[in-house]
Amino acid sequence: MTSAHAEIPQNKQGHAGKTPVEQLSRAVDDSFDTTLASLKELVSIPGIAWASFDPNELDRSADAVAALVQAAGMEDVRILRCDKADGTPGGPAVVARRPAADGKPTILLYAHHDVQPPGDRSLWNSEPFVAEEREGRLYGRGAADDKAGIMAHLAAYSAVTQVLGDEFGLGVTFFFEGEEEAGSPTFRTFLEEHQELLRADVIVVADSSNWKVGVPALTTSLRGLVDGTFEVRVLDHAVHSGMFGGPVLDAPTLLSRLIATLHDDDGNVAVAGLVARDDVAVDLAEEDYRADASVLDGVKLAGSGTIASRLWTKPALSIIGMDVPSVDVASNTLIPAARAKFSMRLAPGQDPGSAMDALKAHVESHAPFGAKVTFTPGERGNAFSTDTSSAAAKVALWALGESWGVQAVEMGIGGSIPFIADLMDVYPDVQILVTGVEDPDSRAHSANESLHIGDFRLAVLAEALMLARLNAEGLKG
């Protein structure tokens, strides 16, 4: 998203010190063509972790990533997986570990190699699994989310090991998951089974966005998530709409009335008991948000408070699916039952269980005309906030500013990364950083997903600088 302020301050977060900025920049530049070519090869593999897609492609994706990790100089490269609750195998994760020298911290670099399905191919301007450069951007499914995250980690590691040689003693673990877009169903089990292999002092999750093209960001907050369904039932079975219509309202109508209670007249979430704050440090200009979100002219924005708080520190409740007869097959009957799927994003500080209970109480107490309402909870995930006073966060903010030449923005993200809560549970003392290579034009999950190539190069350099700085100074306060 774009800042409401026209000017971005120049980076003033310290100086390079012992970090060989120029040498690292040259090393990143010298190998960047190869980095981009490797990214294009990864984009060509349709590795999708959903059950309806060919699992062989996901295995092929893991094999390709493992080969790149080995080429970067890692010797012990493994492809590991755990079984799901139903006994079927989870997605293949690529893991490699370089032990730390005495007195040096260990950093775990996370990204995921699985991607979203392409969706309606007619909406793409080029083939989704053929990477194509156009006007400074690389288009293709996974070009930004999150195969660029993998290549940023590998290219940064290659640059810093080339420049520092034997002086590089930082412990480094690569963890490239293979089922993130399917909800990471075996993530917690994987952490518990490989707890020591993945143990680190710092974890960098490269699966977020920058502020805008030309301005980097560290993602310092993520909203939590709960989802599920609720069903409205009014009849035991369908009946003729002419013979019986009038005294009883059909289920889709009553479902619509129930959905309408979820927001007040201004568009704020009307569920009682949810955490909401309006205390963000930066804001977004409304015209920029409208452009980034492709809001149609004349559509009024919902909610109150700043745009940024509505995106980052307040709940958002959406209906993302409905089970009602489609128009093409509709008959003249009163529909007995209709179901909706909800997705509710939660502000940092909100307990997901309490939020789920609050929404359940709301829909049950607002049942229209005495309709029977059945609430079925689904997934839930905690929100996340970064301690920006931590040593790792300070180094990351310095590195981002040094690479881009402008001060990094500390921004929130309206989305959720539920597995971060698992990382915090299993490793309570770890410092977690959320970075990324996307920008507001990347269209992750949508048609014409793309990566800004110039900013991708800067992201690689920023991570190389961060690794070199942590190698030199460790995690000093």
Side-chain angles (χ1 to χ4, degrees):
M1 303 296 178
T2 309
S3 171
H5 305 289
E7 297 295 327
I8 301 293
Q10 295 298 305
N11 181 46
K12 297 179 181 179
Q13 297 181 9
H15 53 83
K18 297 180 181 179
T19 308
V21 176
E22 293 301 323
Q23 297 96 311
L24 288 170
S25 182
R26 285 196 298 271
V28 169
D29 284 345
D30 289 346
S31 62
F32 191 69
D33 287 346
T34 301
T35 299
L36 199 60
S38 296
L39 176 56
K40 291 177 180 179
E41 291 176 4
L42 291 182
V43 169
S44 71
I45 305 173
I48 301 169
W50 297 18
S52 53
F53 290 84
D54 184 358
N56 293 320
E57 294 292 354
L58 193 60
D59 290 338
R60 191 160 69 93
S61 176
D63 289 340
V65 170
L68 289 170
V69 175
Q70 193 166 32
M74 284 286 193
E75 296 180 359
D76 182 17
V77 183
R78 314 181 199 179
I79 297 178
L80 305 170
R81 66 174 87 218
C82 294
D83 286 344
K84 301 176 187 176
D86 62 4
T88 59
V94 179
V95 180
R97 184 174 181 89
R98 165 195 173 119
D102 289 345
K104 299 287 187 180
T106 294
I107 186 167
L108 185 147
L109 304 175
Y110 168 94
H112 62 88
H113 66 88
D114 67 304
V115 298
Q116 282 280 321
D120 185 351
R121 290 177 181 257
S122 69
L123 300 177
W124 287 79
N125 296 329
S126 56
E127 285 297 316
F129 294 109
V130 178
E132 181 175 303
E133 289 187 49
R134 299 197 303 271
E135 298 179 346
R137 301 188 72 94
L138 183 69
Y139 288 83
R141 176 60 84 224
D145 183 17
D146 186 30
K147 291 176 177 179
I150 291 173
M151 291 312 306
H153 286 326
L154 292 176
Y157 175 79
S158 296
V160 76
T161 53
Q162 174 187 333
V163 170
L164 296 184
D166 292 339
E167 295 180 7
F168 185 66
L170 198 67
V172 177
T173 302
F174 293 119
F175 177 22
F176 298 145
E177 189 191 353
E179 57 180 18
E180 194 275 345
E181 298 293 8
S184 301
T186 69
F187 191 89
R188 181 57 179 256
T189 303
F190 194 94
L191 288 186
E192 291 171 349
E193 288 192 10
H194 303 288
Q195 187 170 349
E196 291 307 313
L197 178 64
L198 300 175
R199 186 176 297 279
D201 302 290
V202 180
I203 297 175
V204 179
V205 176
D207 195 15
S208 188
S209 176
N210 287 302
W211 182 250
K212 64 176 182 177
V213 171
V215 180
L218 183 68
T219 297
T220 56
S221 71
L222 295 160
R223 287 192 290 197
L225 170 70
V226 294
D227 68 18
T229 64
F230 50 87
E231 180 189 74
V232 171
R233 178 171 289 276
V234 294
L235 299 169
D236 182 63
H237 59 272
V239 296
H240 194 290
S241 62
M243 297 291 290
F244 295 97
V248 66
L249 294 176
D250 58 87
T253 295
L254 294 186
L255 177 62
S256 299
R257 292 176 71 96
L258 177 55
I259 291 172
T261 70
L262 299 176
H263 297 85
D264 65 21
D265 290 342
D266 291 326
N268 296 293
V269 175
V271 177
L274 300 179
V275 173
R277 299 192 311 277
D278 195 5
D279 58 355
V280 295
V282 293
D283 196 15
L284 312 174
E286 179 174 336
E287 60 270 24
D288 294 324
Y289 169 80
R290 296 180 72 95
D292 291 340
S294 69
V295 180
L296 298 178
D297 290 343
V299 174
K300 180 182 176 182
L301 297 188
S304 58
T306 63
I307 300 292
S309 68
R310 282 179 259 176
L311 280 172
W312 304 342
T313 59
K314 292 185 175 183
L317 180 52
S318 304
I319 300 301
I320 60 174
M322 294 180 70
D323 287 336
V324 297
S326 67
V327 172
D328 290 341
V329 299
S331 62
N332 281 321
T333 55
L334 297 179
I335 307 303
R339 188 171 66 140
K341 179 164 185 170
F342 66 86
S343 174
M344 185 161 69
R345 305 290 174 160
L346 311 175
Q350 174 74 66
D351 173 65
S354 298
M356 190 78 84
D357 291 343
L359 184 54
K360 181 177 186 290
H362 180 96
V363 298
E364 291 178 344
S365 65
H366 287 77
F369 288 85
K372 180 181 179 181
V373 173
T374 302
F375 182 92
T376 304
E379 298 294 326
R380 61 188 72 192
N382 286 296
F384 166 75
S385 294
T386 298
D387 177 10
T388 54
S389 67
S390 71
K394 290 178 180 178
V395 170
L397 289 167
W398 167 81
L400 290 166
E402 187 72 25
S403 180
W404 263 265
V406 296
Q407 185 170 325
V409 175
E410 298 174 24
M411 64 180 278
I413 290 288
S416 309
I417 306 180
F419 67 74
I420 287 183
D422 293 324
L423 290 171
M424 296 175 69
D425 283 346
V426 176
Y427 306 111
D429 297 325
V430 74
Q431 298 180 37
I432 298 178
L433 305 173
V434 181
T435 64
V437 294
E438 298 173 28
D439 63 78
D441 295 324
S442 288
R443 302 190 187 185
H445 294 203
S446 300
N448 300 308
E449 177 182 346
S450 70
L451 172 76
H452 188 276
I453 296 172
D455 272 13
F456 175 52
R457 182 259 173 198
L458 295 175
V460 173
L461 176 58
E463 186 161 304
L465 294 173
M466 180 178 66
L467 294 175
R469 187 74 170 262
L470 288 173
N471 180 72
E473 300 183 0
L475 293 172
K476 298 176 183 178

